[in-house]
Amino acid sequence: MPATRQAQIGVTGLGVMGRNLARNFARHGFPTALHNRTTARTDEVMSSFGHEGTFVPSQTAQEFVASLERPRRIVIMVNAGPATDAVVDEFAPLLEPGDMLIDGGNAHFKDTRRREAQLKQGGIHFVGMGVSGGEEGALNGPSIMPGGSVQSYKDLGPMLETIAAKVDGTPCCTHVGADGAGHFVKMVHNGIEYADMQLIAEAYDLLRHAAGYEPQRIADTFRTWNQGRLDSYLIQITAEVLAHTDAATKEPFVDIVRDEAEQKGTGRWTVQDALDLGVPVSGIAEAVFARSLSGHTDLRAAARGLPGPAARAVPDASGFAAKVEQALYASKLVSYAQGWNMIAAGSAEYDWDIDLGAMAVIWRGGCIIRAKFLDRIRAAYASDPRLPTLLADPDFGREVADAQDAWREVVATAVRFGVPAPGFSAALAYYDALRARRLPAALVQGLRDYFGAHTYRRTDRDGSFHTLWAGDRSEVSR
């Protein structure tokens, strides 16, 4: 056991993400304690990367805790769920009031709230910390979304801001809010990520099967788009994936990959929790369902013989590509607007007081959805902190209005050609629903009152009412 506490922070769980986060801390001059359930992985990190900074390896939990200065900062990088609970149960008895356990995994925010409440009784700070950027971000600068107490961020925040990605000198890290706020916004981030990727995939599909472009030409198109308002990490890597040729078959890489998209659950959580909050996130939901449908190969095989429209190509391929760019941008903006609305609803429900503009700031770099227009989202909320939706921002609203004719034509073309575009379609339907003066929900409410006496509200006076449908159809107040 070390005689003195040498490390400023410790990482337990040295898989790829944990190892790279530990290396990031050490590279920035923070002596970093290392712990893993199997010591072989700790030894591997030391032999491969021990030269990168000051590491303090440990073989036992007791030795690991003893190597840390007070207040102890322990970052947990294990699988969400029971594995995280097991690590918390192992380390909590070894800690003292003021120490911190920091969960850097993709935990559900309600689990984080539960753990935070439990540990607070013993004076231990539990921090649910969203980390985005994958293994590269963990090593070179991620976007970091810590929740927890104000005191924990005071003790931990300067270190996190040091290792986080920087944009214009500003760290992509901020204290999001109390208890589970950090993991909540990370969940929503991942939901937006699902929608972003689905929209990109639909754009590719339309260019391929309506415009007749080959993958290399689509890659060039995405590279061009990445030089404009769609400039983002996902657009950039889309071009790289589409341009890649499979070494074994010499075919486009995208053609030899099975069309079955997998998911780890955070997108599904976003939709489930949006339903609980009563927030429509139709773009994210369609992205989750599209991945689910892609994996139902039995259903797809059974339906493969169903008829579709005759195959053809749009007459003006380059003109159509420009319209797809418009549809992609407008649909992307809708998905981000839905995500921000969900963050606002979660903040209100759980009393987190989340700064909506700050979320755009910390997502400008390091994370998967980093994009040029996030700085404009920051500016929109700086101009109006009470902005009800990004679509109400004058600049964004103008751009969507300018895009809507092309957007509608792209969705109509997808329908005519039989190319599934649930993301584009759902985003456009959401836009039309927001701008509509009257929705058919009035009829839905009338039907509910007819079969279930659920009542309705009138447009001309206050109160709840019920029509005696089975009687003389007179109206009564309820």
Side-chain angles (χ1 to χ4, degrees), residues 239-415:
E240 294 186 21
V241 171
L242 289 173
H244 183 56
T245 299
D246 176 54
T249 64
K250 309 305 179 188
E251 296 293 324
F253 171 77
V254 73
D255 287 345
I256 58 91
V257 176
R258 288 190 180 185
D259 58 342
E260 303 167 26
E262 299 178 359
Q263 52 185 309
K264 292 186 175 179
T266 47
R268 184 169 60 248
W269 288 349
T270 306
V271 177
Q272 291 169 337
D273 287 306
L275 289 171
D276 290 340
L277 290 168
V279 180
V281 292
S282 51
I284 297 170
E286 288 296 344
V288 173
F289 288 134
R291 290 199 192 188
S292 178
L293 178 58
S294 76
H296 281 276
T297 54
D298 53 342
L299 294 178
R300 294 172 60 197
R304 199 148 288 147
L306 295 176
R312 57 191 182 276
V314 293
D316 178 12
S318 61
F320 180 69
K323 293 172 183 175
V324 172
E325 188 273 345
Q326 294 265 52
L328 177 56
Y329 181 78
S331 299
K332 178 187 178 82
L333 181 55
V334 165
S335 295
Y336 279 64
Q338 292 178 352
W340 255 262
N341 287 348
M342 183 171 175
I343 293 173
S347 179
E349 175 70 17
Y350 299 106
D351 196 26
W352 285 328
D353 194 25
I354 297 175
D355 183 335
L356 298 179
M359 296 305 97
V361 171
I362 66 172
W363 289 346
R364 293 183 304 165
C367 70
I368 303 301
I369 66 169
R370 59 186 184 265
K372 181 178 181 181
F373 91 145
L374 280 163
D375 199 51
R376 296 180 55 206
I377 294 177
R378 176 204 58 77
Y381 281 107
S383 177
D384 182 3
R386 296 183 178 274
L387 190 67
T389 170
L390 288 174
L391 300 178
D393 174 74
D395 289 338
F396 284 136
R398 190 178 309 113
E399 287 183 326
V400 173
D402 290 344
Q404 70 163 314
D405 287 342
W407 193 6
R408 295 181 192 284
E409 185 172 338
V410 167
V411 171
T413 300
V415 173

Side-chain angles (χ1 to χ4, degrees), residues 1-2 5 7 9-13 33-39 42 56-69 72-76 86-96 99-101:
M1 182 177 295
R5 296 187 173 106
I9 194 162
V11 178
T12 181
L34 302 176
H35 175 266
N36 197 73
R37 185 173 56 85
T38 56
T39 57
T42 305
V56 183
S58 305
Q59 293 189 349
T60 68
Q62 292 81 0
E63 184 180 344
F64 177 64
V65 169
S67 72
L68 292 161
E69 67 178 25
R72 301 180 182 94
R73 308 170 183 91
I74 296 176
V75 180
I76 302 169
V87 173
V88 170
D89 291 344
E90 179 181 16
F91 281 100
L94 305 176
L95 302 180
E96 300 173 78
D99 290 346
M100 285 165 273
L101 281 172

